[in-house]
Amino acid sequence: MPEAISGFSKLSKSEKIEWLLNNYFSQKETARQILTRYWNSDEILQKLHDEFIENTITNFYLPFGVAPNFLINNHLYTIPMTIEESSVVAAASKAAKFWYDRGGFKTKVISTEKIGQVHFNFKGNYQKLESFFRAIKPKLISDTAAITENMVKRGGGIKDIVLKDKTKELTNYYQLHATFETLDAMGANFINSCLEQFATTLKNEAATYANFTQEEGDIEIIMSILSNYVPNCLVRAEVSCPIDDLKSKDISNPELFAQKFKQAITIAEIEPFRAVTHNKGIMNGIDAVVLATGNDFRAVEAGVHAYASRTGNYRSLTHCTVDDGIFKFWIEIPLALGTVGGLTSLHPLVKLALELLEKPTAKDLMQIVAVAGLAQNFAAVKSLTTTGIQQGHMKMHLMNILNQFEATEKEKAQLVEHFKTNVVTHSAVVAAIKSLRQ
Ligand code: MEV
């Protein structure tokens, strides 16, 4: 174990790597080669990536794939996806084509409200705090004018601020709970800047408010931060068709398929162990598009899972009905996304992804991402309730195993052909490679 190091961030990239090699790696040259092999020879591009975060020593590649044939509100999209899991893009593409042939996806943005809070302590009379809040509310808003000017010009800004009494849960604890419209920006910086200004105004105004005692005037700000829980930034995506139209290569009995599919969704609505895996499958699609378009997938994940638990039980994010001969399947989720600001104008591949999506607004992107989640879930539940998941997964996994064994292109072609009619398991692939090489 090395000694703790101070000033690591000030070292050059090569010095950082030397320190790592000297302290953690027995095969120093191998480790150095791996790290430097991933450097980009385009120095400008490399510098851009170096500066995204602190202490960059190399780049970490993920595949950037595309899923074509997504018909959304009668507009055809090819969706960019960044993900390492082998079956995700294939499943999305398959679901896209399936629904392309049945009228495509219908989507709607339900709401676009973002939230931020100033958390503070106040020791005193609540009625007095409420009167004070009412008196300073216009100033809370006007003091942010320099921050909000451009957003307001474009039609966004602060929608409201309310005072919340949380003292039943925690002594002396109150909030300014603010709502925002941030248009095409995800809005984290905008919201946090407004909140910090609210906190300053709140504290300063309290200190000179004539009706407060000295103790009441001494408001203690705990923190000011946006919330990633955005239950009023909601989007819905849906597919539907007559049950008979579900008939396809994998679905010989559409009525039986529809009933089993619906029950699989109901299970995820009532059973948390299944709901978590079910929603994980949805996030396979969602995260891949969120990442490719330079958005914050951790924020999306946190908000989506909180939404899935809003009733007190963790539940499915998708729902299904089979009524009057019609199969209907939909998702409703909160998505705080941006198509301007952040990585969207910095990362060349993110810019390319947004261009591929025809420069979407944040609302367009919400709908595209929701569709990717719904399509992914349709593909997963369709496989689960018909062939089982392993058939498709192992087909995709075949390539990973072949790569592990450094199979040549010729070997790959032969083995892919072989496994068209044989079950893919890890041991079967290993045996087939060995027998081919003998
Ligand atoms: C695997 O990444 C995702 C699935 O487990 C989702 C599901 O079970 O619905 C296949």
Side-chain angles (χ1 to χ4, degrees), residues 85 87-88 274 276-282 284 376-377 379-381 383-384 389 393:
E85 192 173 323
S87 56
V88 169
R274 173 56 201 151
V276 172
T277 316
H278 178 94
N279 288 347
K280 187 273 181 188
I282 294 172
N284 278 343
Q376 206 67 46
N377 189 227
V381 176
S383 294
L384 287 167
I389 206 76
H393 265 209

Side-chain angles (χ1 to χ4, degrees), residues 47-153:
K47 190 162 183 304
L48 183 75
H49 283 75
D50 286 351
E51 290 174 0
F52 282 147
I53 60 166
E54 191 164 275
N55 298 341
T56 305
I57 53 169
T58 191
N59 307 307
F60 188 97
Y61 292 174
L62 281 177
F64 179 102
V66 293
N69 298 323
F70 272 98
L71 188 62
I72 306 177
N73 299 338
N74 296 325
H75 192 98
L76 196 62
Y77 288 94
T78 296
I79 298 187
M81 302 181 93
T82 296
I83 188 143
E84 87 300 345
E85 192 173 323
S86 48
S87 56
V88 169
V89 177
S93 307
K94 218 171 151 191
K97 188 65 175 53
F98 184 93
W99 286 107
Y100 174 86
D101 294 334
R102 291 161 182 80
F105 297 81
K106 300 284 176 269
T107 61
K108 188 167 81 176
V109 171
I110 297 167
S111 50
T112 56
E113 183 182 274
K114 313 274 171 64
I115 290 167
Q117 298 168 318
V118 178
H119 305 265
F120 66 96
N121 287 340
F122 168 79
K123 289 185 195 147
N125 179 294
Y126 175 62
Q127 260 65 47
K128 279 164 79 178
L129 179 65
E130 213 185 11
S131 307
F132 163 71
F133 170 69
R134 261 187 273 116
I136 67 154
K137 191 169 166 182
K139 186 159 171 53
L140 284 171
I141 293 177
S142 61
D143 280 0
T144 59
I147 306 164
T148 58
E149 194 187 344
N150 281 338
M151 191 65 90
V152 170
K153 263 190 214 146

Side-chain angles (χ1 to χ4, degrees), residues 31 37 52 78 108 155 306 322 351 419 426:
R37 210 172 143 203
F52 282 147
T78 296
K108 188 167 81 176
V322 181
K351 282 202 263 185
F419 281 105
H426 192 273

Side-chain angles (χ1 to χ4, degrees), residues 28 112 115-116 140 165 190 202 215 218 220 235 254 256 290 312 315 370 378 397 411:
K28 284 186 201 164
T112 56
I115 290 167
L140 284 171
D165 179 355
F190 171 77
L202 180 75
E215 192 177 39
D218 191 16
E220 186 186 15
V235 58
L256 179 67
V290 169
R315 290 179 171 200
F378 179 78
H397 195 49
E411 286 173 332

Side-chain angles (χ1 to χ4, degrees), residues 309-320:
S309 323
R310 70 195 181 287
T311 58
N313 288 325
Y314 188 90
R315 290 179 171 200
S316 168
L317 294 159
T318 52
H319 309 281
C320 178

